[in-house]
Amino acid sequence: MTAPLMVIAAGGTGGHMFPAQALAEAMLARGWRVQLSTDARGARYTGGFPDAVDIRQVQSATFARGGLLAKLAAPFRILSGGMAARRAMRADRPTVVVGFGGYPSIPALMAAVMLKLPRVIHEQNGVLGRVNRLFARHVDAVACGTWPTELPGGVEGVHTGNPVRGAILERAGAPYDPEGRLSLLVIGGSQGARILSDVVPGAIAALPEALRARVHVTQQARAEDRERVTRFYTDHAIDHEVAPFFADVPERMAAAALVISRAGASSVADISVIGRPSILIPFAAATNDHQTANARGLVEAGAALLLPEDGASVDALNRMIAEVLGDPARAAEMARAAAAHGRPDATERLVALIETLIPPGTVPHV
């Protein structure tokens, strides 16, 4: 008997791709075949996917970028991608299709609707993204990573949490030590964030000398910001590593005394599962301010401090860093609160939801 096939549709950013990767890892372990449907942009984030995942690039487009001609062509590109996905699914019929948002997920979800296949969407953020909002009334279940999630009228969601990669799960609840050397992890999403490069170095340099001398900074910065950030830390004798991308973020997060981050859904999930105090600076231009919604749970749990982007000055951030690192008892309590808020079983919850839509006898036994 051929193993059942799951098509996972995702793309655009790491925020969509990381939970998709977690589900792919889980389904392969259960004996499924897994196919990832994405576009060329999404394919840049597939390096961490298991080799057994069949990665298919489909044609899609966004209405949010490009000139007038690109926007006029978008519907035709999406329709072409949808019809290609439909042909592929008729040749090798999936048991279920799961979308994680982003425009690259449209063709596979469109094909699943046309073929009346079981279909699920997973929304990572506290507000539905454009594509998931489009399909919310046309799927069998809506899984929510952040709770509560704002949903269209008449649509019910199931709180599963945000699946995290195996490398994060391996460090779930890692021991926390706010004494001795203090590692600060600064991450700004898959491409870094300029505002973090603007305010974090100065905020650290202004710490009391006794505290600053214990600090080691690992900072993700955009390529165009890397040189000036590195030079600042060198000039101020602050121990540091600065790079546009770190392949070992789970390891660095587990070693961190404090995480300073945007409030993307995957970053919030990783911080929660590992259990680290954080200062969250939501991206002000995020659609419907969804990053503030993402941060709300950790902030209300006492695990994180929220710093709105319009108030993210050197002085404000300096005070927050000093509040956390200067009070080891408070930092340890924040770490415990973060871990208590985390959902390390989010992938299993999502799998259980998906399995309720599958006919008996379809799921392989391994």
Side-chain angles (χ1 to χ4, degrees):
M1 176 181 174
T2 304
L5 172 65
M6 172 180 285
V7 171
I8 296 175
T13 68
H16 298 307
M17 299 297 279
F18 291 151
Q21 178 185 328
L23 180 61
E25 292 168 349
M27 299 314 290
L28 289 173
R30 286 165 169 78
W32 285 62
R33 292 182 296 136
V34 177
Q35 186 182 107
L36 173 68
S37 179
T38 189
D39 69 354
R41 184 168 171 242
R44 295 180 303 174
Y45 297 95
T46 59
F49 277 71
D51 292 339
V53 175
D54 178 16
I55 297 172
R56 302 282 183 94
Q57 288 193 36
V58 296
Q59 188 167 239
S60 189
T62 173
F63 296 92
R65 291 183 297 276
L68 178 60
L69 289 178
K71 291 177 180 177
L72 289 174
F76 301 99
R77 290 175 58 84
I78 291 170
L79 181 60
S80 174
M83 298 309 294
R86 181 174 179 268
R87 288 192 296 272
M89 289 183 188
R90 292 185 70 176
D92 189 4
R93 193 175 181 88
T95 300
V96 64
V97 177
V98 184
F100 282 89
Y103 281 89
S105 69
I106 293 178
L109 287 170
M110 183 187 300
V113 171
M114 289 189 286
L115 295 173
K116 298 181 179 179
L117 298 170
R119 50 202 179 272
V120 179
I121 56 173
H122 179 278
E123 175 57 54
Q124 298 86 57
N125 300 298
V127 179
L128 283 182
R130 293 186 182 94
V131 172
N132 279 349
R133 183 170 293 276
L134 175 67
F135 283 98
R137 291 188 173 91
H138 305 286
V139 297
D140 300 295
V142 177
C144 301
T146 301
W147 198 257
T149 296
E150 295 181 21
L151 299 170
V155 174
E156 293 187 7
V158 178
H159 183 204
T160 59
N162 278 313
V164 297
R165 297 159 288 164
I168 294 290
L169 281 179
E170 289 172 4
R171 295 165 174 83
Y176 178 72
D177 182 10
E179 307 284 356
R181 183 175 185 259
L182 299 171
S183 293
L184 269 68
L185 176 63
V186 184
I187 48 178
S190 51
Q191 298 298 323
R194 177 162 189 166
I195 191 168
L196 299 181
S197 296
D198 290 344
V199 302
V200 172
I204 294 171
L207 290 172
E209 177 58 31
L211 192 57
R212 187 180 68 175
R214 297 164 54 202
V215 166
H216 169 80
V217 184
T218 296
Q219 181 160 348
Q220 183 188 38
R222 301 184 308 171
E224 56 266 40
D225 296 328
R226 182 179 184 177
E227 183 179 348
R228 69 180 175 94
V229 173
T230 299
R231 187 186 312 114
F232 184 97
Y233 285 133
T234 300
D235 290 347
H236 290 79
I238 297 169
D239 194 22
H240 65 276
E241 288 181 74
V242 179
F245 178 78
F246 292 100
D248 57 348
V249 166
E251 180 180 341
R252 292 175 186 270
M253 189 174 291
L258 175 65
V259 179
I260 302 173
S261 176
R262 287 299 205 183
S266 287
S267 296
V268 170
D270 292 351
I271 291 166
S272 302
V273 169
I274 292 177
R276 291 295 176 264
S278 59
I279 298 171
L280 301 176
I281 308 175
F283 178 41
T287 305
N288 297 319
D289 197 23
H290 68 252
Q291 287 206 358
T292 297
N294 295 344
R296 189 172 298 128
L298 277 180
V299 173
E300 291 178 352
L305 301 179
L306 181 67
L307 181 58
E309 187 168 318
D310 60 7
S313 65
V314 168
D315 288 344
L317 182 58
N318 168 262
R319 287 193 297 272
M320 287 187 172
I321 296 172
E323 281 179 26
V324 178
L325 295 186
D327 186 345
R330 180 181 181 183
E333 182 53 38
M334 291 176 71
R336 285 191 290 271
H341 183 77
R343 284 213 159 179
D345 62 344
T347 304
E348 285 68 31
R349 288 172 179 263
L350 179 57
V351 170
L353 174 62
I354 292 167
E355 289 180 341
T356 65
L357 310 177
I358 298 170
T362 304
V363 180
H365 297 283
V366 294

